[in-house]
Amino acid sequence: QDTKVTLSGELGGQLTYFISGQGIFDMYFFIENKTPEDAVKKYHQLIGKTLLPPYWGLGWHQCKYGYESTDKLRAVLSNYTANNFPMDVLWSDIDHMYKYRDFTFDKNGSYAGLDTFVANELHKANRKYVPIIDAGIAIARDSSYASFDSGLKDGLFIKSGNQQRQNKDPISGMNGVLYGKVWPGYAAFPDFTNQKTNQWWIDNLKSFHSQVNFDGIWLDMNEVSNF
């Protein structure tokens, strides 16, 4: 179904929009404005105002894949300090994770002491910390990953549209969940159209924050992916 919408102005000009698809369309027109700014103000009255970033978010951020340990992060901070260069925020790529699992850090391995480094060195030096979080949740069928277990139990992951897939699954007991291979191997993807998923995501972030007092989140690969 194609829909044509034409708006005619007082001086005889026209704006025409073509919309393809089916269903109900919500359309809004911002007319009778003296200036373009007036139209923008009406637009933001509808959708809400833009959130201002934190002041530190406008500073100098340091990020690199390959910082393989807490000591590597500490060396970055030390080098910036020694050279009197103003670094405001230090970021971590997936290196910090335990088996590339969201909401974790390798606390018994190469990233031991990350929590105290952030609290006692970065924050005391008035710097901020931002770790990465991916949208792919590692599939672990051995009850070793609570975030995955609770998401699967409560039906919070995107489901596959392939009705025949269950008989061919290399992973048993997935209840029709769509998955692909990402950094941790097989991974499922949260269904954020489900309000329960939003709360599950918030709860997991709070749990992670109680372990590492991060200041922001780098939400990476926010889509279904398959390597």
Side-chain angles (χ1 to χ4, degrees):
Q1 173 182 328
D2 294 327
T3 303
K4 177 182 177 182
V5 179
T6 299
L7 176 65
S8 300
E10 294 180 356
L11 301 179
Q14 288 187 338
L15 291 176
T16 301
Y17 300 87
F18 290 92
I19 303 173
S20 297
Q22 297 181 351
I24 298 173
F25 297 102
D26 292 325
M27 303 188 68
Y28 299 86
F29 296 91
F30 306 96
I31 58 177
E32 297 182 357
N33 305 290
K34 294 182 179 180
T35 67
E37 288 78 9
D38 291 337
V40 171
K41 287 180 181 179
K42 290 181 180 179
Y43 174 68
H44 282 286
Q45 288 174 355
L46 175 68
I47 69 169
K49 296 181 179 179
T50 302
L51 293 176
L52 289 175
Y55 187 66
W56 57 262
L58 304 176
W60 182 274
H61 296 237
Q62 175 63 35
C63 176
K64 178 179 177 294
Y65 173 75
Y67 292 148
E68 298 171 348
S69 66
T70 303
D71 286 339
K72 294 285 188 181
L73 294 182
R74 183 174 288 111
V76 172
L77 174 61
S78 177
N79 287 335
Y80 268 93
T81 302
N83 288 280
N84 197 29
F85 201 93
M87 180 188 71
D88 297 282
V89 190
L90 185 58
W91 294 44
S92 282
D93 209 311
I94 58 175
D95 312 279
H96 77 279
M97 295 180 180
Y98 174 68
K99 295 184 176 181
Y100 299 136
R101 296 179 179 181
D102 280 349
F103 318 115
T104 71
F105 71 104
D106 190 11
K107 58 185 176 182
N108 296 317
S110 59
Y111 267 85
L114 174 64
D115 49 347
T116 55
F117 167 71
V118 171
N120 297 335
E121 298 180 55
L122 276 179
H123 284 169
K124 285 189 176 181
N126 200 29
R127 268 92 172 207
K128 307 296 184 181
Y129 179 64
V130 175
I132 195 172
I133 294 288
D134 284 338
I137 305 298
I139 294 174
R141 301 313 314 271
D142 57 2
S143 301
S144 64
Y145 186 27
S147 298
F148 169 74
D149 291 338
S150 60
L152 181 65
K153 177 183 176 182
D154 295 337
L156 306 182
F157 298 126
I158 295 173
K159 296 295 183 71
S160 171
N162 186 349
Q163 299 298 322
Q164 305 300 319
R165 202 203 64 185
Q166 284 297 307
N167 297 327
K168 301 178 181 179
D169 266 355
I171 306 174
S172 61
M174 290 294 290
N175 301 324
V177 167
L178 174 71
Y179 56 84
K181 279 190 174 181
V182 201
W183 297 114
Y186 285 118
F189 305 94
D191 177 10
F192 289 110
T193 64
N194 185 340
Q195 186 59 41
K196 292 182 178 180
T197 305
N198 297 334
Q199 189 59 52
W200 167 87
W201 184 263
I202 292 170
D203 291 343
N204 278 279
L205 282 175
K206 287 182 176 178
S207 176
F208 184 36
H209 190 263
S210 70
Q211 301 173 63
V212 179
N213 189 19
F214 57 82
D215 301 282
I217 283 294
W218 171 11
L219 183 55
D220 185 48
M221 295 184 64
N222 192 25
E223 71 283 326
V224 174
S225 301
N226 186 41
F227 297 166

